[in-house]
Amino acid sequence: DGGGDGGRGVEDFKACAALRDTSEEGGYLEFYYKLSFWASMIVGGAFAFGPLSPLAVINEYTPSAQFLQRAFGLGAVFMLAPAQCVLVDAARRGRLGGSTFKNLNLSIAAAIAGIDGMTVYTFAAASGLNLDLSLEAEALEGASGGIYNYVGALGVSFAILVVYLYQGLFAEKSEEA
């Protein structure tokens, strides 16, 4: 019981911070959620507080581009990362099969799919590809990290989406939970 003073939140954050401390129940999946939490904090922080977008197709300094970059970063830090921290706790307790946690996994998977879809759409719109996805290295020369960063980020993001989707659809409660 946190007693209303935020004690539970502090304990949850400590559990997310202790990468090497995984429960027997949570195992590798708990470790995965902890890594996802930290990735959201780091990447979200880079978007929210960095001068350039880490994955920008075209680094724009217009107010609307900067607003979207900051909004995405702050959303990752203050909405996605805490949700992942909740999933760390659920994994520790063997509760990922509960409807609340399955829905949370599905919500995160849907958000990732939406972000990836908008990333591809933005790239296509910015480079005039009409969504045929015939990526050319020259089209991304001005981007942060170039074509390799862009394609790599989408590949990693898709792999992450698959884990959340799978857990949202097929996770089961442990017998002890």
Side-chain angles (χ1 to χ4, degrees), residues 120 123-124 127-136:
V120 171
F123 170 74
S127 61
L129 291 178
N130 297 324
L131 294 176
D132 69 351
L133 299 181
S134 59
L135 302 175
E136 296 181 22

Side-chain angles (χ1 to χ4, degrees), residues 47 55 72 75-76 80 108-122 154 157 161:
F47 274 96
L55 297 176
F72 173 78
L80 178 58
I108 291 172
I112 292 170
I115 291 166
D116 288 353
M118 285 308 299
T119 301
V120 171
Y121 174 79
T122 301
L154 283 176
S157 186
L161 180 147

Side-chain angles (χ1 to χ4, degrees), residues 49-164:
F49 307 112
L52 297 175
S53 171
L55 297 176
V57 174
I58 298 173
N59 284 312
E60 290 287 334
Y61 292 101
T62 61
S64 60
Q66 289 296 306
F67 173 77
L68 289 174
Q69 175 185 329
R70 308 294 177 228
F72 173 78
L74 292 171
V77 170
F78 293 110
M79 291 189 291
L80 178 58
Q84 291 166 323
C85 202
V86 168
L87 292 173
V88 168
D89 181 62
R92 277 185 91 76
R93 297 183 297 122
R95 302 279 303 155
L96 286 172
S99 63
T100 298
F101 305 113
K102 288 177 97 167
N103 288 333
L104 188 54
N105 272 302
L106 288 173
S107 297
I108 291 172
I112 292 170
I115 291 166
D116 288 353
M118 285 308 299
T119 301
V120 171
Y121 174 79
T122 301
F123 170 74
S127 61
L129 291 178
N130 297 324
L131 294 176
D132 69 351
L133 299 181
S134 59
L135 302 175
E136 296 181 22
E138 299 84 36
L140 282 174
E141 285 178 358
S144 301
I147 186 77
Y148 301 109
N149 189 33
Y150 174 78
V151 173
L154 283 176
V156 168
S157 186
F158 180 75
I160 292 168
L161 180 147
V162 169
V163 172
Y164 283 99

